[in-house]
């Protein structure tokens, strides 16, 4: 990819702004609440955009483009059923407890609702996961900039890490949130012309459909397998994802989606920074509005890329192949940028990509420094210190959190499998979480012992399920089957969805059973933490579009309509 | 928070938009072969510039950062 001075200056100006925001915000960081929770003073539209941007790291952008090429429009399930319903649920039903309890983090909510050991389990596993996730982000940035621009791996990793370090260190969560909003607009403006030009090139949606029919039939599927999202979900063998509708709806649409959007502190932290209860509840709902349309921005380029690849020769565009001869789907979006953008616009597109790397990483870093400082350091290492001390600790946590991420990056370059294994373990830990929160918030009888034992058995169930099943055609090992193969799934995705379903169900049942055998807490202690003991939030907003329930109805209707259009 | 986020967003997009527009006058038309002959730098540069100016305006009008 050849860049000129125009592209370089656009990138450079972006970096100047990022650091400039950090420096400007430095003087507002007076207390630990300013640093970790933005002083709970951010308006809803900003926290809302940050809510989706924190999730829109580069792995997401690159990964969704890759899936668009690999699976077609069915990738939209990760949005229209795999995100929107959960975002509505947290906004309408869960946020009153997160925000209303004044908990400063998700683990702290668990401490208020259950007990110290449940918080400890969640805080420590979350802290480890976020640090390594940001390491995975860095590793990806190093690889991508290397293959795209020929930058040195060490240079890319260190520059990205130092810039994120600088702006989070200076401006804390506010700085991260502001940069996420900046990144949101950059992604929209950087990718929209790509989609427009790409669609013109392939003859619009109908042109793309007929080209994708070639892709589908030459892979042995029905003609619409790449351009219709539900029609081919009847059985796992008729769609390229290799999943059937029940596993998709329960595994992705319920367990994984609700587990991520409703319990992951990385996103919940953005809503906690909102300036009022109403703003906190609106945060995920405002986020859901653009989220609904992101498939057009990130999945369509992948679909166009695969369509062009199958029209050999005509367009001159071909997805590169990996060493084993299969297509390197991860290059779909970066290659499309290079294919359609002239110098200038190319600078904007690449800047958007780099921005998504950095803010994905910053999201992890801010979640880590908060959980570390409040839930680990203040709870177990040094209680009762001054607020200034914890503010200082937050800055230090930012430094060593990033240092560990960089170390993890280099670990990944040595042992490639480590990252796959870590992600597997994270999946085991995350899968049962939503059962704990659902029971904790909506069943006052749930006890701390029940939650703790339920979480552990859910994680164990995930590991056992993964260890005893295999996706079709895979060897026992990292893909599963390490204690024999009881069942073979049609695809890795189907196996993941069912691992999640097993983990969730186990956690749900065990939590209920253990709760019934242990002593419940006094009802008086649970006011504000459990649905039946908490006053319903009153609609205080006078304007209809600021009411969470009305926004929720609009968002759900939108998701249903989109599903029907692309059925 | 004392800094209205719309101000830096507006400034950044106005500057990037301006760079694109200016560059479109100096670049050889050959570079637009990639974008199907569309002068994407000029058109999208204008879009970004206008968006940037609107954000600057909104940021200057409302100091509290709220939309209403």
């Amino acid at each position: 990819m050849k860049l000129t001075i125009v592209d370089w200056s656009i990138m450079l100006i972006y970096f100047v702004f990022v650091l400039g925001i950090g420096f400007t915000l430095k003087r507002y960081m007076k207390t630990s609440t300013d640093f970790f929770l933005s002083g709970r003073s951010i308006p809803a539209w900003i926290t809302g955009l940050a809510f989706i941007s924190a999730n829109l790291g580069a792995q997401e952008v690159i990964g969704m483009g890759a899936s668009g090429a690999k699976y077609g429009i069915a990738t939209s399930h990760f949005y229209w059923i795999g995100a929107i319903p959960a975002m509505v649920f947290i906004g309408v039903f869960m946020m009153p407890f997160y925000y209303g309890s004044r908990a400063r983090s998700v683990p702290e909510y668990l401490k208020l609702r259950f007990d110290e050991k449940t918080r400890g389990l969640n805080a420590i596993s979350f802290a480890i996961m976020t640090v390594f996730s940001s390491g995975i982000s860095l590793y990806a940035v190093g690889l991508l900039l290397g293959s795209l621009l020929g930058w040195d791996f060490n240079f890319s990793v260190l520059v990205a890490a130092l810039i994120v370090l600088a702006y989070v260190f200076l401006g804390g969560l506010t700085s991260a949130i502001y940069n996420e909003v900046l990144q949101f607009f950059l992604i929209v403006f950087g990718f929209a012309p790509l989609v427009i030009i790409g669609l013109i090139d392939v003859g619009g949606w109908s042109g793309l459909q007929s080209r994708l029919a070639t892709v589908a039939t030459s892979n042995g599927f029905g003609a619409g397998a790449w351009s219709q999202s539900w029609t081919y979900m009847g059985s796992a063998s008729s769609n390229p994802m290799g999943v059937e509708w029940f596993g998709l709806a329960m595994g992705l649409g319920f367990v994984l989606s609700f587990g991520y959007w409703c319990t992951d502190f990385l996103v919940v932290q953005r809503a906690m920074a909102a300036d009022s209860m109403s703003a906190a509840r609106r945060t995920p709902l405002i986020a859901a509005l653009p989220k609904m349309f992101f498939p057009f921005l990130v999945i369509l380029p992948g679909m166009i890329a695969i369509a062009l690849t199958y029209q050999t020769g005509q367009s001159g565009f071909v997805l590169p192949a990996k060493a084993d001869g299969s297509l390197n789907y991860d290059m779909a979006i970066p290659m499309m940028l290079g294919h359609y953008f002239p110098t200038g616009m190319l600078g904007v597109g690449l800047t958007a990509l780099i921005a998504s790397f950095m803010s994905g990483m910053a999201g992890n870093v801010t979640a880590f420094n908060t959980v570390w400082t409040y839930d680990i350091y203040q709870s177990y290492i040094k209680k009762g210190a001054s607020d200034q001390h914890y503010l200082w600790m937050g800055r230090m946590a930012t430094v060593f959190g990033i240092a560990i991420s960089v170390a993890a990056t280099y670990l990944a370059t040595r042992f490639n499998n480590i990252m796959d294994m870590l992600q597997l373990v994270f999946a085991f830990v995350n899968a049962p979480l939503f059962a704990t929160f659902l029971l904790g918030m909506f069943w006052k009888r749930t006890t701390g012992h029940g939650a703790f034992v339920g979480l552990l058995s859910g994680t164990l169930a995930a590991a056992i399920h993964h260890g005893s099943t295999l996706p079709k055609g895979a060897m026992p090992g990292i893909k599963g089957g390490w204690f024999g193969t009881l069942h073979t799934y049609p695809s890795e995705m189907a196996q993941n969805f069912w691992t999640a379903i097993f983990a969730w169900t186990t956690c749900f049942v065990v939590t209920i059973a253990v709760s019934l055998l242990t002593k419940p807490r006094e009802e008086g202690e649970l006011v504000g933490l459990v649905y039946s003991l908490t006053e319903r939030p009153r609609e205080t907003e006078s304007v209809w579009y600021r009411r969470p329930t009305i926004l929720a109805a609009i968002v759900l209707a939108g998701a249903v309509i989109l599903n029907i259009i692309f059925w | 928070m004392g800094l209205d986020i719309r101000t830096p967003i507006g400034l950044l997009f106005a500057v990037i938009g301006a760079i694109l527009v200016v560059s479109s006058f100096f670049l050889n038309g050959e570079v637009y072969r990639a974008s199907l002959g569309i002068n994407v730098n000029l058109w999208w540069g204008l879009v970004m510039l206008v968006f940037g100016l609107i954000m600057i305006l909104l940021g200057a009008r409302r100091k509290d950062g709220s939309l209403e």
Side-chain angles (χ1 to χ4, degrees):
Chain A
M1 208 172 276
K2 249 193 80 194
L3 299 186
T4 66
I5 180 88
V6 189
D7 306 305
W8 293 118
S9 40
I10 290 172
M11 251 180 243
L12 196 68
I13 288 166
Y14 167 71
F15 288 137
V16 170
F17 268 81
V18 167
L19 294 175
I21 290 177
F23 277 104
T24 316
L25 290 172
K26 180 171 181 276
R27 60 198 163 101
Y28 300 110
M29 298 296 124
K30 297 206 171 69
T31 65
S32 70
T33 316
D34 292 335
F35 190 79
F36 296 118
L37 287 166
S38 303
R40 296 193 198 264
S41 65
I42 310 273
W45 72 274
I46 298 179
T47 52
L49 294 183
F51 192 90
I52 40 169
S53 290
N55 159 257
L56 199 70
Q59 282 115 316
E60 173 86 2
V61 175
I62 303 264
M64 285 299 153
S67 299
K70 212 169 165 185
Y71 310 124
I73 193 73
T75 310
S76 65
H77 292 315
F78 285 92
Y79 291 76
W80 298 334
I81 68 159
I84 305 293
M87 290 164 92
V88 168
F89 187 82
I90 182 181
V92 173
F93 294 106
M94 290 175 73
M95 205 49 81
F97 308 111
Y98 279 139
Y99 196 86
S101 67
R102 308 305 279 177
R104 297 169 300 180
S105 66
V106 167
E108 193 165 72
Y109 172 81
L110 289 176
K111 149 90 177 149
L112 296 172
R113 172 63 186 86
F114 297 119
D115 52 18
E116 194 58 66
K117 62 179 180 299
T118 312
R119 179 245 285 267
L121 176 66
N122 183 251
I124 291 165
S125 59
F126 182 80
I128 297 171
M129 283 190 282
T130 42
V131 159
F132 278 97
S133 300
S134 98
I136 296 172
S137 261
L138 268 181
Y139 180 59
V141 88
L143 286 187
L144 186 85
L145 292 181
S147 69
L148 230 50
L149 307 173
W151 286 8
D152 179 54
F153 183 85
N154 299 327
F155 175 81
S156 309
V157 166
L158 288 179
V159 167
L162 284 176
I163 291 177
V164 171
L165 173 65
Y167 77 75
V168 176
F169 185 89
L170 292 166
L173 181 64
T174 315
S175 199
I177 287 182
Y178 278 17
N179 276 299
E180 280 153 10
V181 176
L182 198 64
Q183 172 231 341
F184 168 82
F185 287 111
L186 266 173
I187 293 260
V188 172
F189 280 90
F191 283 20
L194 179 69
V195 177
I196 298 169
I197 297 172
L199 276 179
I200 294 176
D201 193 28
V202 296
W205 174 245
S206 58
L208 182 60
Q209 264 177 314
S210 65
R211 286 165 194 249
L212 287 173
T214 318
V215 178
T217 45
S218 36
N219 282 290
F221 294 105
W226 255 259
S227 55
Q228 290 175 289
S229 61
W230 283 103
T231 312
Y232 294 86
M233 287 292 154
S235 92
S237 56
S238 57
N239 63 74
M241 278 184 172
V243 291
E244 89 299 351
W245 66 272
F246 184 80
L248 181 78
M250 289 307 290
L252 173 67
F254 182 61
V255 179
L256 290 175
S257 156
F258 281 69
Y260 177 76
W261 292 100
C262 301
T263 73
D264 199 306
F265 184 53
L266 172 66
V267 288
V268 176
Q269 187 178 28
R270 271 76 199 146
M272 283 181 171
D275 59 10
S276 65
M277 170 69 91
S278 156
R281 295 182 71 200
R282 269 180 288 140
T283 295
L285 301 169
I286 291 174
L289 287 169
K291 181 82 182 170
M292 262 193 289
F293 299 99
F294 262 84
F296 303 117
L297 228 42
V298 292
I299 298 176
L300 268 183
M303 292 166 64
I304 296 171
I306 195 75
L308 293 182
T309 301
Y310 273 76
Q311 316 273 303
T312 16
Q314 290 178 29
S315 63
F317 178 89
V318 187
L319 273 179
K322 286 197 254 191
D324 63 1
S326 62
L327 290 174
N328 188 352
Y329 294 106
D330 284 343
M331 290 306 283
I333 284 201
M335 294 278 297
M336 289 301 274
L337 291 174
H339 181 66
Y340 283 128
F341 279 171
T343 178
M345 201 52 227
L346 185 57
V348 181
L350 287 177
T351 306
L353 213 51
I354 295 176
S356 73
F357 272 113
M358 296 205 312
S359 59
M361 185 183 162
N364 282 309
V365 173
T366 49
F368 169 79
N369 65 23
T370 309
V371 166
W372 165 263
T373 307
Y374 283 154
D375 293 300
I376 298 175
Y377 185 75
Q378 191 178 25
S379 307
Y380 305 122
I381 300 174
K382 189 164 182 176
K383 287 190 179 122
S386 70
D387 189 68
Q388 285 308 306
H389 178 75
Y390 294 123
L391 173 60
W392 171 83
M393 193 28 139
R395 292 210 154 108
M396 286 308 113
T398 309
V399 175
F400 67 72
I402 290 180
I404 300 171
S405 306
V406 173
T409 307
Y410 283 97
L411 204 65
T413 57
R414 291 269 194 101
F415 312 98
N416 215 337
N417 273 339
I418 279 193
M419 288 299 168
D420 293 338
M421 270 173 70
L422 279 173
Q423 278 173 317
L424 197 62
V425 175
F426 297 169
F428 295 165
V429 175
N430 276 335
L433 259 183
F434 184 63
T436 306
F437 281 86
L438 194 67
L439 287 169
M441 283 181 177
F442 298 97
W443 190 44
K444 63 184 179 195
R445 187 65 183 73
T446 321
T447 66
H449 293 309
F452 187 77
V453 178
L455 274 180
L456 286 181
S457 25
T459 299
L460 194 67
I464 292 175
H465 178 266
H466 186 265
S468 52
T469 58
L470 259 185
K472 202 170 71 190
M475 296 309 265
I478 185 98
K479 303 282 187 204
W482 13 281
F483 16 85
T485 311
L486 293 177
H487 181 76
T488 306
Y489 283 105
S491 68
E492 207 175 325
M493 205 183 275
Q495 186 196 25
N496 289 340
F497 291 169
W498 280 99
T499 300
I501 295 173
F502 270 85
W504 188 89
T505 314
T506 307
C507 177
F508 191 76
V509 172
V510 171
T511 307
I512 293 178
V514 177
S515 291
L516 288 173
L517 296 174
T518 44
K519 195 172 144 304
R521 282 177 69 181
E522 295 291 325
E523 294 201 351
E525 296 172 6
L526 296 176
V527 173
L529 300 169
V530 178
Y531 191 75
S532 60
L533 301 174
T534 306
E535 211 183 319
R536 304 288 167 276
R538 286 211 316 276
E539 291 284 8
T540 48
E541 301 290 346
S542 48
V543 207
W544 64 268
Y545 59 83
R546 297 182 66 165
R547 291 190 182 160
T549 39
I550 295 182
L551 272 176
I554 296 175
V555 166
L556 281 180
V560 170
I561 293 170
L562 284 167
N563 270 309
I564 293 172
I565 293 178
F566 291 94
W567 193 275
Chain B
M1 208 48 66
L3 172 71
D4 189 313
I5 178 64
R6 283 168 294 189
T7 310
I9 291 179
L11 283 172
L12 177 66
F13 278 79
V15 172
I16 293 180
I19 291 178
L20 287 181
V21 171
V22 170
S23 78
S24 72
F25 296 122
F26 294 96
L27 286 171
N28 184 329
E30 277 289 290
V31 299
Y32 301 119
R33 252 217 322 243
S35 51
L36 319 173
I38 302 166
N39 189 338
V40 63
N41 283 3
L42 175 64
W43 293 112
W44 205 252
L46 285 173
V47 171
M48 289 180 77
L49 182 61
V50 170
F51 173 78
L53 294 176
I54 292 173
M55 287 304 252
I56 294 174
L57 210 71
L58 287 173
R61 270 180 50 192
R62 303 259 186 258
K63 286 288 169 211
D64 61 356
S66 71
L67 270 187
E68 278 78 38

